[in-house]
Amino acid sequence: MDDGNGSAHLVFFTAATGPSSTTSERMRISNNGNVIISNALLNIHGGIPFAVPNNYMAKGSLTIGSTGTNYGGGNNWNANTAAFLMECQDNTEIAIHDSGDRLASFMHYISGTSGYFKYGRDMGSGPTNHQFYCNSWVGIMNDVAADDSDTNLLLDLAIRNRYSGEGAAALDTTSNALKLRFGTINQA
């Protein structure tokens, strides 16, 4: 399609079912390679979709995967590395824009010698509050063997606990390390 400025685009239209001359643009591949899908949702599945065919997703949403397949969980590169993979040179980020109110970083991966994730990075709209709700237990685990004197492990937490007594967070101020106990975790 020529937009009148000598710029060719590939445009896809659909029409309503039945006799109608009204068509709607659904997808455009611009001459610069940008792809725009308008007023629709995108469902990439492996054979057994659920949410989209049952009208549980809104226009503008993305659904990936199949209810008949498990994804990821393995080691290194394999034929089922992940359901969703982001590739980058060194760093990448997932951000959220809530209708002009704020731009917030949900997750920012920073490469380097240690590689780490940063959650809630300030992108100019101010810091983002975090609330984690859990009806069970929360575990923060480290695969590096360490003892209580390891200074390379850092955990900074601000705790607000609506319960008191057994299971409440406790701060051990007898050393330079922050030690918290949330109750007993039984391990096999």
Side-chain angles (χ1 to χ4, degrees):
M1 166 183 247
D2 187 340
D3 64 3
N5 297 317
S7 300
H9 307 290
L10 182 57
V11 182
F12 297 86
F13 291 88
T14 60
T17 306
S20 172
S21 60
T22 305
T23 60
S24 300
E25 181 179 328
R26 295 297 182 194
M27 185 171 81
R28 174 182 294 247
I29 303 175
S30 299
N31 62 351
N32 61 6
N34 292 339
V35 177
I36 300 170
I37 299 174
S38 303
N39 200 24
L41 56 86
L42 182 58
N43 185 12
I44 302 171
H45 64 82
I48 308 174
F50 176 79
V52 171
N54 288 292
N55 296 315
Y56 292 134
M57 299 300 292
K59 292 179 180 180
S61 66
L62 168 66
T63 305
I64 63 171
S66 172
T67 58
T69 305
N70 293 319
Y71 300 93
N75 294 313
N76 298 312
W77 290 107
N78 60 69
N80 189 0
T81 302
F84 180 75
L85 176 69
M86 296 175 65
E87 293 187 311
C88 63
Q89 181 177 3
D90 293 310
N91 309 313
T92 191
E93 188 162 19
I94 297 173
I96 298 166
H97 172 236
D98 62 350
S99 190
D101 189 36
R102 62 185 296 117
L103 183 61
S105 171
F106 175 71
M107 184 274 309
H108 185 201
Y109 172 76
I110 297 95
S111 185
T113 56
S114 59
Y116 63 95
F117 292 100
K118 183 186 288 187
Y119 298 94
R121 182 179 74 85
D122 184 353
M123 297 180 74
S125 299
T128 303
N129 294 321
H130 293 74
Q131 293 184 0
F132 298 93
Y133 291 90
C134 182
N135 292 326
S136 184
W137 65 278
V138 175
I140 300 174
M141 300 172 199
N142 187 342
D143 287 339
V144 178
D147 60 25
D148 289 343
S149 64
D150 192 331
T151 58
N152 294 321
L153 303 177
L154 176 65
L155 177 62
D156 292 326
L157 295 175
I159 306 285
R160 182 180 65 180
N161 192 337
R162 64 181 176 160
Y163 302 106
S164 60
E166 186 176 355
L171 175 62
D172 181 349
T173 58
T174 59
S175 67
N176 290 332
L178 176 65
K179 296 180 181 180
L180 302 172
R181 177 173 293 274
F182 291 92
T184 303
I185 298 176
N186 296 322
Q187 296 182 359

